[in-house]
Structures are given as structure tokens and as C-alpha cells.
């Protein structure tokens, strides 16, 4: 009984751990003018090395004891590093002219997201290669296609926004007005691609959580939590599609669920669920 309570408490802590890590390091955020960019990166690297070391040690045990799904959970657990890094920035992207003074800050944000996308890809490859979801060949091919589309949209979107400072600088050098750049660079087509990406990514999160629950690999809290956040994300994407980013007043919070970091948070929770699911026979009272 005591161990069961301990596992429950540990799960709750792991769910919010990215925030427990990211919020304290936010005081070193490079968006605060007095702070050093290099210091923030150094702190993040040290934290990331610590998490990678933990995963490395755990992987030796889990690889022999639990198999592919839990190893996949370890890949998803590592999402904590880029997520905490983004939380620690404690600022929305600076899309003003001031961005050109510190383009490295925006680059760092999207480097974190690139890392997250690669971890998601590693999990996806493991899942598909070992058919860990135990699905038919045709369904496996369809799922592979969904994974590829989701990953491709991530990479395309991150590349697009990573190059925002360079594109803004070129725009200004051509004698154009700064105020007109955002609408030109993030036009309707770009927005719609992002919307499509969120539809696929959130739907994939729901699909995976439900399937893994049916296989008995995760507990019920995970599909409930992921489905709830994913549905809000899908609603957010739908509103953005219909309004073309002109979200009605009072509903601005929906934009929070459209940012690319949210799907990674859901996949991180999926990793936590995979790592903390124990059979009754494994829990001694």
C-alpha cells in the first residue's frame, strides 16, 4: 500500500516536473537584459546532462525488464529538458525590431523545439519498428504516415520561425516597413499549415494514449488528461483557422494551446505514464 501511494505521488510530481525545473531557472532567462545568454545555456545543459544520466541508468534496467514501450517512455521523458528550457525563458517570442539585437534568444527557443521533435521521432521509430501498439500491418502503415506528417510539420514550422530574425533583417534592408513584416512572413498559408499540424499532433496524442491504455500499458489518468488538453488544442486550432489568428477578446487563452510546445508536453505525460505503470504483482504492500 505504501509503495502504491509513493508511485502515485511520484507520478504527480513527474507530471509537473517540467514546471518545477523551468520556473526556478527563469530568473536566469536571457530575456532579462541583465542576464547572460551563455549562463542560461550552461545551466540548461547541466540540467539536461543530469536527466540524460538518469535515463541512461534506468534504460539498463528497463531494457531487460519491461521492453520497447518503457524504453519509448524514456525517450519521451527526456522531453522534460527542452520543455523546461522553454518554460525557463519565461517570455513569449519577441517579434519586435528588438529581436535583431538578440536573435540568439529566438534561435535558442527553436533549438529546444528541434530537440523535442527529434526525441519524438526516436519514440515514433521505436514504436513502429517493434509494432509496440500491436496493430495490423495496414494500420501500422497508416500510423507511420501520421507520424511522418506530424514530425515533418514540426520541423517545417520550427525552421520557418527559427529564420524569423534573418528574414526580418532582410525585409528591413529592402526598405520595407517593419509593421508589415509579420503579416507577410506569417501569412494565411503559414497559419493554415500550423493548424493542420496541430490537428494531426493532438489527434495522434489522443490515439496513442487510448491505444496504450487499452493495451494495459498506462493508467486511465493519462488518456483523460491528454484527451482533455488535446480537445482544447483542437478547438484552439479551429478558432484560429476560422478567425485567421484574430481570436475574439476573452478567448486569448486559446492561443496558449496552439503553441508548438503543448503537444510535446502531452507526449511527455505519455512517457511519464509508461514509466509509472506497474502491475499489481509488481507493487508490494
Amino acid at each position: 500500500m505504501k509503495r502504491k501511494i509513493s508511485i502515485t505521488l511520484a507520478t504527480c510530481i513527474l507530471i509537473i516536473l517540467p514546471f518545477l525545473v523551468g520556473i526556478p531557472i527563469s530568473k536566469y532567462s536571457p530575456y532579462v537584459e541583465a542576464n547572460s545568454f551563455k549562463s542560461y545555456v550552461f545551466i540548461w545543459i547541466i540540467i539536461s546532462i543530469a536527466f540524460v544520466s538518469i535515463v541512461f541508468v534506468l534504460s539498463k534496467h528497463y531494457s531487460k525488464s519491461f521492453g520497447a514501450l518503457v524504453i519509448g517512455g524514456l525517450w519521451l521523458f527526456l522531453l522534460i529538458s527542452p520543455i523546461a528550457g522553454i518554460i525557463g525563458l519565461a517570455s513569449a517570442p519577441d517579434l519586435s525590431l528588438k529581436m535583431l539585437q538578440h536573435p540568439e534568444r529566438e534561435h535558442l527557443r527553436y533549438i529546444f523545439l528541434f530537440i523535442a521533435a527529434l526525441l519524438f521521432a526516436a519514440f515514433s521509430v521505436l514504436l513502429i519498428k517493434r509494432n509496440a501498439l500491436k496493430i495490423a500491418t495496414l494500420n501500422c502503415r497508416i500510423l507511420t504516415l501520421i507520424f511522418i506528417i506530424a514530425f515533418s510539420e514540426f520541423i517545417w514550422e520550427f525552421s520557418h520561425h527559427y529564420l524569423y530574425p534573418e528574414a526580418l533583417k532582410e525585409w528591413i534592408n529592402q526598405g520595407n516597413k517593419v509593421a508589415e513584416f509579420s503579416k507577410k512572413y506569417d501569412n494565411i498559408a503559414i497559419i493554415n499549415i500550423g493548424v493542420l499540424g496541430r490537428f494531426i499532433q493532438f489527434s495522434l496524442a489522443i490515439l496513442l494514449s487510448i491505444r496504450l491504455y487499452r493495451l494495459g500499458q498506462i493508467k486511465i489518468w493519462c488518456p483523460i488528461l491528454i484527451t482533455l488538453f488535446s480537445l482544447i488544442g483542437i478547438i484552439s486550432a479551429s478558432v484560429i483557422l476560422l478567425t485567421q489568428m484574430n481570436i475574439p477578446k476573452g478567448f486569448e487563452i486559446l492561443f496558449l494551446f496552439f503553441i508548438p510546445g503543448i503537444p510535446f508536453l502531452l507526449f511527455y505525460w505519455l512517457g511519464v505514464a509508461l514509466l509509472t505503470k506497474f502491475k499489481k504483482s509488481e507493487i508490494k504492500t
Side-chain angles (χ1 to χ4, degrees):
M1 184 65 181
K2 290 182 179 179
R3 189 178 178 188
K4 189 173 183 180
I5 294 174
S6 298
I7 292 171
T8 301
L9 290 174
T11 301
C12 292
I13 292 172
L14 288 173
I15 288 172
I16 62 173
L17 190 57
F19 300 94
L20 296 179
V21 175
I23 292 174
I25 66 173
S26 63
K27 62 182 178 180
Y28 303 104
S29 171
Y31 281 89
V32 178
E33 292 297 335
N35 289 342
S36 166
F37 176 82
K38 291 182 179 179
S39 295
Y40 183 80
V41 173
F42 179 75
I43 292 170
W44 178 81
I45 289 174
I46 294 299
I47 292 172
S48 297
I49 290 174
F51 282 122
V52 170
S53 299
I54 292 171
V55 166
F56 178 76
V57 172
L58 290 176
S59 65
K60 288 188 174 181
H61 170 71
Y62 281 131
S63 62
K64 296 178 181 179
S65 303
F66 294 95
L69 277 174
V70 179
I71 297 301
L74 290 172
W75 281 112
L76 293 182
F77 176 75
L78 283 176
L79 286 169
I80 188 173
S81 292
I83 293 172
I86 294 171
I87 293 171
L89 292 176
S91 176
D94 183 358
L95 303 182
S96 68
L97 188 60
K98 192 176 180 181
M99 172 193 285
L100 298 183
Q101 298 176 18
H102 298 285
E104 71 280 358
R105 298 190 301 204
E106 300 310 317
H107 288 162
L108 180 62
R109 182 188 305 275
Y110 289 99
I111 287 173
F112 287 151
L113 289 170
F114 276 123
I115 293 171
L118 292 175
L119 291 170
F120 166 74
F123 166 75
S124 304
V125 170
L126 181 65
L127 206 66
I128 296 297
K129 187 176 181 180
R130 301 193 184 183
N131 192 20
L133 295 179
K134 299 179 182 179
I135 55 179
T137 302
L138 178 59
N139 291 336
C140 188
R141 290 176 179 174
I142 294 173
L143 184 62
T144 301
L145 179 61
I146 294 173
F147 271 124
I148 291 173
I149 295 173
F151 176 74
S152 298
E153 196 283 329
F154 276 139
I155 296 301
W156 176 87
E157 183 177 353
F158 302 158
S159 299
H160 175 78
H161 291 295
Y162 181 91
L163 296 172
Y164 194 102
E166 288 74 16
L168 176 58
K169 184 177 181 180
E170 183 179 354
W171 176 266
I172 294 172
N173 290 339
Q174 292 174 353
N176 297 310
K177 295 181 180 179
V178 177
E180 298 175 355
F181 175 74
S182 182
K183 290 184 179 180
K184 177 71 175 180
Y185 195 73
D186 290 328
N187 55 46
I188 293 177
I190 300 298
I191 293 172
N192 289 343
I193 292 174
V195 168
L196 176 62
R198 294 302 171 275
F199 283 152
I200 294 173
Q201 292 145 11
F202 283 125
S203 298
L204 179 60
I206 294 174
L207 174 67
L208 290 176
S209 64
I210 292 176
R211 179 58 181 170
L212 289 171
Y213 173 71
R214 288 181 175 177
L215 290 174
Q217 299 297 329
I218 59 176
K219 293 183 179 180
I220 188 64
W221 68 263
C222 184
I224 290 176
L225 192 62
I226 286 180
T227 299
L228 175 62
F229 275 76
S230 294
L231 289 177
I232 297 174
I234 290 171
I235 291 171
S236 172
S238 300
V239 171
I240 286 173
L241 176 64
L242 294 174
T243 64
Q244 295 301 305
M245 292 292 281
N246 297 309
I247 298 178
K249 290 184 178 180
F251 294 90
E252 291 86 354
I253 193 173
L254 287 176
F255 187 75
L256 177 64
F257 292 87
F258 187 70
I259 62 176
I262 296 298
F264 291 127
L265 180 61
L266 304 189
F267 290 125
Y268 165 77
W269 287 341
L270 187 62
V272 170
L274 286 168
L275 294 178
T276 56
K277 172 65 170 68
F278 293 87
K279 297 177 182 178
K280 291 182 179 179
S281 59
E282 295 168 350
I283 302 176
K284 297 179 181 180
T285 57

